[in-house]
């Protein structure tokens, strides 16, 4: 921003320091010099010449305003194209401040196309720069690099997925889930985000299941698995785990609340029978004999079938 403020205030600076005014002809000559460099695709060399054109034009006064405006409009494109050439040459560290300038000028001069392209290239550059750290599971380093790209362009779902994965794989599930959920939210904006949103949902389920398995507090497990089931309401593993945790903690009201949905979510008859056995136990311990018998009768497969028959026999004596 300091550079832009200097450009916009250049006329006042020149006046204050007593510099002689530039002529319109000199301004146009300088602009044509920049135009020739742009024509030759020497964008890096064109940038300072364009900036000189703006400075000279502001000093020259209103008669040079049209040339000043032309030069200003070219600055975002030149910064972007120069940054792009540096990226293609593998000079990523050099490219980033150039691309930051492209964003700055594009915002100032309302060049929406260059603004979008610059942000996209910045995030892509950080993705490339963080690839080695990610592939070598150097999660802290990967997070540091990818976070910068994500800040510049949060709609770059490739980078966002890498950043979320880096957080989650490092054990920082909270920040990982935040990024994954933001990717899912993008789907509402445009259909092109459906595929990354689906990938994010899969990762939410995967990492939240790991997190639940590592958590001892039943209330936290319920909350974590509840988030999984918000993303995937019929997820069989999450449904089964939630019932198992509730059963282990003799939380019979929870087992009864979730039991039927959990059984319906199972794709394996033996797993469904396990859920119904736990549901039968919950009803039995809640002194609801009829409901317990009905649940036990649905235990038709797996290792609990014989136990269910034994409990029915006890309850029907």
């Amino acid at each position: 921003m300091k550079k832009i403020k200097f450009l916009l205030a250049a006329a006042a600076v020149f006046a204050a320091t007593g510099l002689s005014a530039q002529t319109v002809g000199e301004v146009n000559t300088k602009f044509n010099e920049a135009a020739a460099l742009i024509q030759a695709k020497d964008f890096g060399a064109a940038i300072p010449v364009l900036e000189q054109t703006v400075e000279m034009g502001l000093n020259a006064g209103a008669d040079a305003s049209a040339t000043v405006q032309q030069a200003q409009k070219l600055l975002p494109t030149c910064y972007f194209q120069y940054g792009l050439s540096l990226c293609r040459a593998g000079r990523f560290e050099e490219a980033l401040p150039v691309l930051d300038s492209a964003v700055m000028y594009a915002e100032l001069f309302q060049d929406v196309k260059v603004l979008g392209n610059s942000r996209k290239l910045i995030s892509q550059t950080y993705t490339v720069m963080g690839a080695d750290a990610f592939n070598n599971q150097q999660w802290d380093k990967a997070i540091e690099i990818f976070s910068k790209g994500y800040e510049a362009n949060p709609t770059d779902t490739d980078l966002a997925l890498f950043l979320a994965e880096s957080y989650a794989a490092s054990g920082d599930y909270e920040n990982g889930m935040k990024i994954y959920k933001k990717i899912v939210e993008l789907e509402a904006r445009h259909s092109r985000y459906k595929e990354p949103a689906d990938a994010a949902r899969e990762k939410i389920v995967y990492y939240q299941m790991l997190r639940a398995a590592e958590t001892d507090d039943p209330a936290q497990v319920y909350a974590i698995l509840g988030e999984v089931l918000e993303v995937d309401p019929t997820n069989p593993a999450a449904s089964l785990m939630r019932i198992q945790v509730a059963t282990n903690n003799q939380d019979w009201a929870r087992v009864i609340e979730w039991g039927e949905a959990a059984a319906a979510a199972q794709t394996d008859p033996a797993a469904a029978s396990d859920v119904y056995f736990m549901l039968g136990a919950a009803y039995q311990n809640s002194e609801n004999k009829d409901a317990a018998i009905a649940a036990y009768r649905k235990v038709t497969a797996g290792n609990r079938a014989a136990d269910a028959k034994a409990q029915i026999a006890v309850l029907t004596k």
Side-chain angles (χ1 to χ4, degrees):
M1 277 301 192
K2 290 182 180 179
K3 194 171 192 180
I4 291 175
K5 288 179 181 178
F6 169 76
L7 289 177
L8 296 179
V13 172
F14 289 143
T17 55
L19 294 177
S20 59
Q22 306 288 314
T23 67
V24 174
E26 289 173 328
V27 175
N28 290 337
T29 297
K30 183 60 67 174
F31 178 80
N32 290 336
E33 181 185 338
L37 291 167
I38 293 170
Q39 185 68 27
K41 300 188 183 304
D42 192 350
F43 299 103
I47 288 169
V49 181
L50 284 172
E51 291 177 340
Q52 290 170 26
T53 301
V54 174
E55 293 174 10
M56 292 170 62
L58 290 172
N59 187 40
D63 290 341
S65 61
T67 304
V68 169
Q69 289 175 8
Q70 284 182 287
Q72 288 174 333
K73 287 181 179 179
L74 287 170
L75 276 169
T77 298
C78 285
Y79 270 107
F80 171 75
Q81 291 293 341
Y82 182 42
L84 178 61
S85 68
L86 290 171
C87 287
R88 286 173 172 167
R91 296 161 62 183
F92 302 116
E93 294 285 357
E94 295 176 62
L96 287 169
V98 174
L99 292 170
D100 285 340
S101 294
V103 169
M104 181 176 64
Y105 280 114
E107 288 178 334
L108 183 66
F109 302 128
Q110 300 180 353
D111 191 327
V112 176
K113 182 177 180 181
V114 171
L115 180 60
N117 287 338
S118 299
R119 285 176 171 165
K120 182 177 180 181
L121 186 54
I122 288 171
S123 61
Q124 289 175 337
T125 299
Y126 278 114
T127 299
V128 173
M129 292 174 67
D132 284 344
F134 182 86
N135 292 337
N136 289 298
Q137 299 183 8
Q138 297 173 329
W139 304 124
D140 288 346
K141 184 176 180 181
I143 290 167
E144 179 184 357
I145 296 170
F146 291 147
S147 293
K148 295 175 182 177
Y150 184 73
E151 182 180 358
N153 184 18
T155 62
D156 184 337
T157 52
D158 288 336
L159 179 141
L161 285 167
F162 286 132
L163 175 59
E165 179 84 4
S166 299
Y167 274 124
S170 73
D172 187 348
Y173 296 118
E174 183 176 354
N175 278 313
M177 293 307 108
K178 285 180 182 177
I179 304 297
Y180 281 132
K181 288 175 183 178
K182 288 184 181 296
I183 297 170
V184 171
E185 289 169 4
L186 288 174
E187 187 177 8
R189 292 173 52 176
H190 197 283
S191 59
R192 69 172 175 268
Y193 294 116
K194 183 181 186 310
E195 185 175 343
D198 286 343
R201 278 188 280 265
E202 288 182 9
K203 288 294 186 177
I204 289 173
V205 170
Y206 174 75
Y207 279 112
Q208 291 291 66
M209 291 297 292
L210 286 181
R211 184 183 179 190
E214 295 170 359
T215 303
D216 295 326
D217 182 358
Q220 286 187 344
V221 174
Y222 296 156
I224 293 166
L225 295 177
E227 289 186 17
V228 172
L229 292 168
E230 283 181 14
V231 173
D232 183 5
T234 60
N235 185 277
S239 299
L240 179 59
M241 182 184 288
R242 191 164 66 163
I243 292 295
Q244 288 171 330
V245 171
T247 298
N248 291 341
N249 286 277
Q250 298 184 9
D251 193 348
W252 307 124
R254 298 284 195 180
V255 177
I256 291 169
E257 178 186 354
W258 299 325
E260 288 293 344
Q266 304 310 309
T267 56
D268 178 9
S273 289
D274 286 344
V275 173
Y276 277 122
F277 185 85
M278 289 182 279
L279 182 57
Y283 280 124
Q284 188 173 358
N285 282 280
S286 301
E287 299 183 356
N288 189 336
K289 184 171 71 171
D290 291 341
I293 292 170
Y296 283 136
R297 282 176 176 163
K298 293 179 182 179
V299 181
T300 58
N303 298 327
R304 294 300 189 106
D307 293 335
K309 288 181 180 179
Q311 290 303 316
I312 292 171
V314 170
L315 291 168
T316 54
K317 278 184 180 180

